[in-house]
Amino acid sequence: MSEFESRWHSGLSFPHLAMKRMTSQCKVRVAKRTRYPLLLSGVVINFLMGVMYGWGILLAPLEGFLDLPRSALSIVPGIGLMCFTLGVYVHDPIARRMSPSVLAPLVVLVAGAGHFLFFLLPGYMSLLLGPGVIFGTAAGIGYGLSIAYAQAAYRKNEGLAVGIVVASFAASGMALSAVAVTTGISQAQIPNLFGILALIYLVVSPLLWKLLNTEDARVDQNWKDPAGSRIAMGKPFLGFGIAFFAFCYIGLMIMSHGVAILRELGAADHLSVLAPFVLNSGYLVGALLGGVFVERSSPKMAPMIGLSVLLLGLLALNAGFPVGVWIVAILVLGVGFGSTVTMFVTLLAHRYGSANAGFLFGRLNVGYGLAGLTAPSITGLLYDFGGSYRLPILAGATFGALGLFALFASRSSDKATVSEAAGESISPAVHDTEKTKETRHITGANRNE
């Protein structure tokens, strides 16, 4: 049979092959079109949850409205931060069991309910329960979901996608600060402000449902990660945890005491008050570039370099330098602090597989909660004890050096995991490819063995 006849006789399969090829092309087009809703929803969710970073703007008006001392009001962000940490911790198992089109709008709705509670019943207890417990927990879950959606949206540029989502969290606090400076917030307007925030969340929630309902993203409720718990108990991950705490401790110390540190060094008031803005500006840059830096450089060296940059910025806050150096140091500290999440999320995905990244980041984020509880208070106690910020800065540098040592020690303990052996892993929240099923089949087989 000639080559032509062979092709002719096999022509019956041409329509089938053509249809299969067209279907495959359609799937590719759908995948390209539908990855954008995931990234966009992650940006929207994190922007809404980022008002947590604008708490300092509301502190003085709340103090007058509720007629309470600042120490009592300061408990609210502490409670919110603890609940935020809890939310990030539990986001991964929740995301594995609920569709994005259901979970994302629900989280936003619950966050809005926290604000609405204070608007409806303005008082200290409703402030603790609403913006503190309810909103804090929803914000933590939403934060974890946003990162998971960013990872699922862009596989090849995962670091940049995660950076965009994390940057939107900081941008929210900056936007709230700009609104407060422009319009001013009086004591009487405080309940209405929380009511407006609740209304925004209520409006955005169904829009998110509409946005994510077009995404062909299903969650396998029966699949469970076989390696995440074992990884979290290993020596390398412990080194990551210590380093992550060091990153967060230094960043939150400057976040809470940066203005006072610059004033003690001799900066004029109009310059010292720029500390939060400069720090958050650097945070945005660091959030955008942290994951990209891991992807473009050595993943093992990236966190060591980032922590070294933080230490240099911290040590530059010295009375022997001119004011301009102090401002640059605050900017550098912001870049280092902002790179923390994107750097470590990308590093976890690179080292242990994307399927484990969400679970492990939830455990790693405990370090953020511990730093949030200890950095502001220890810095204040050491300042009262020593009469200056030299001792707190030395303490921060000590934690940074400990983090560097932990990273160096963990480099020699890198072991292959089940997820790495299975090949390219998937996001903990979303999957829509045949490769995902194949990966899960392999990991399931390994677990059964």
Side-chain angles (χ1 to χ4, degrees), residues 2-71:
S2 67
E3 181 181 354
F4 176 80
E5 289 175 332
S6 176
R7 290 182 181 180
W8 174 260
H9 284 290
S10 63
L12 293 176
S13 63
F14 281 6
H16 171 71
L17 293 174
M19 182 63 68
K20 187 175 182 180
R21 190 171 299 142
M22 289 175 61
T23 304
S24 175
Q25 291 174 351
C26 288
K27 286 183 178 179
V28 171
R29 293 193 187 101
V30 169
K32 289 183 178 181
R33 185 175 66 249
T34 56
R35 64 184 179 179
Y36 296 106
L38 277 175
L39 181 63
L40 180 57
S41 64
V43 170
V44 171
I45 294 170
N46 244 17
F47 186 81
L48 292 176
M49 305 310 175
V51 298
M52 176 177 285
Y53 271 15
W55 173 259
I57 304 299
L58 308 175
L59 189 58
L62 278 169
E63 189 177 8
F65 178 79
L66 296 175
D67 194 22
L68 289 171
R70 188 158 298 187
S71 58

Side-chain angles (χ1 to χ4, degrees), residues 49-328:
M49 305 310 175
V51 298
M52 176 177 285
Y53 271 15
W55 173 259
I57 304 299
L58 308 175
L59 189 58
L62 278 169
E63 189 177 8
F65 178 79
L66 296 175
D67 194 22
L68 289 171
R70 188 158 298 187
S71 58
L73 289 174
S74 297
I75 296 175
V76 179
I79 295 292
L81 184 58
M82 290 177 59
C83 293
F84 178 87
T85 304
L86 174 64
V88 176
Y89 190 89
V90 302
H91 88 275
D92 185 67
I94 295 175
R96 293 179 188 274
R97 290 164 173 79
M98 295 183 67
S99 167
S101 63
V102 175
L103 182 55
L106 181 61
V107 167
V108 169
L109 197 62
V110 172
H115 292 307
F116 184 73
L117 179 61
F118 182 76
F119 168 73
L120 193 65
L121 301 169
Y124 184 62
M125 292 307 298
S126 63
L127 188 68
L128 278 173
L129 181 60
V133 175
I134 297 176
F135 173 73
T137 305
I141 296 174
Y143 188 85
L145 290 181
S146 299
I147 292 175
Y149 295 167
Q151 288 181 294
Y154 286 90
R155 280 278 169 258
K156 293 183 179 179
N157 296 305
E158 186 175 303
L160 180 60
V162 172
I164 292 172
V165 167
V166 173
S168 68
F169 191 86
S172 177
M174 296 180 68
L176 186 61
S177 300
V179 171
V181 170
T182 304
T183 63
I185 302 175
S186 65
Q187 298 177 15
Q189 293 174 326
I190 280 293
N192 293 334
L193 176 61
F194 281 91
I196 292 172
L197 288 174
L199 181 62
I200 293 173
Y201 286 49
L202 180 65
V203 171
V204 171
S205 180
L207 296 179
L208 274 177
W209 174 84
K210 181 68 175 176
L211 181 66
L212 289 170
N213 203 39
T214 61
E215 179 73 22
D216 184 21
R218 299 173 297 277
V219 178
D220 186 350
Q221 298 181 6
N222 298 319
W223 183 77
K224 300 222 175 142
D225 169 50
S229 299
R230 188 165 63 255
I231 293 169
M233 299 298 293
K235 181 180 176 182
F237 186 76
L238 178 61
F240 284 163
I242 295 173
F244 191 82
F245 170 80
F247 268 88
C248 295
Y249 184 95
I250 295 174
L252 291 173
M253 179 182 75
I254 302 301
M255 183 78 74
S256 57
H257 289 265
V259 174
I261 290 174
L262 288 185
R263 283 176 178 169
E264 183 191 274
L265 292 173
D269 287 346
H270 70 281
L271 291 177
S272 60
V273 295
L274 289 176
F277 180 81
V278 174
L279 186 73
N280 279 298
S281 298
Y283 188 100
L284 285 173
V285 175
L288 289 171
L289 299 181
V292 176
F293 181 62
V294 172
E295 293 174 338
R296 302 292 174 85
S297 65
S298 169
K300 292 183 178 181
M301 291 300 298
M304 299 181 73
I305 294 173
L307 196 50
S308 299
V309 168
L310 268 176
L311 282 171
L312 288 175
L314 191 61
L315 295 176
L317 294 177
N318 188 290
F321 293 108
V323 177
V325 175
W326 301 334
I327 299 297
V328 173

Side-chain angles (χ1 to χ4, degrees), residues 413-434:
S413 303
D414 191 10
K415 302 293 183 182
T417 64
V418 174
S419 62
E420 290 173 324
E424 177 63 24
S425 300
I426 58 166
S427 167
V430 181
H431 67 93
D432 58 357
T433 65
E434 292 298 325

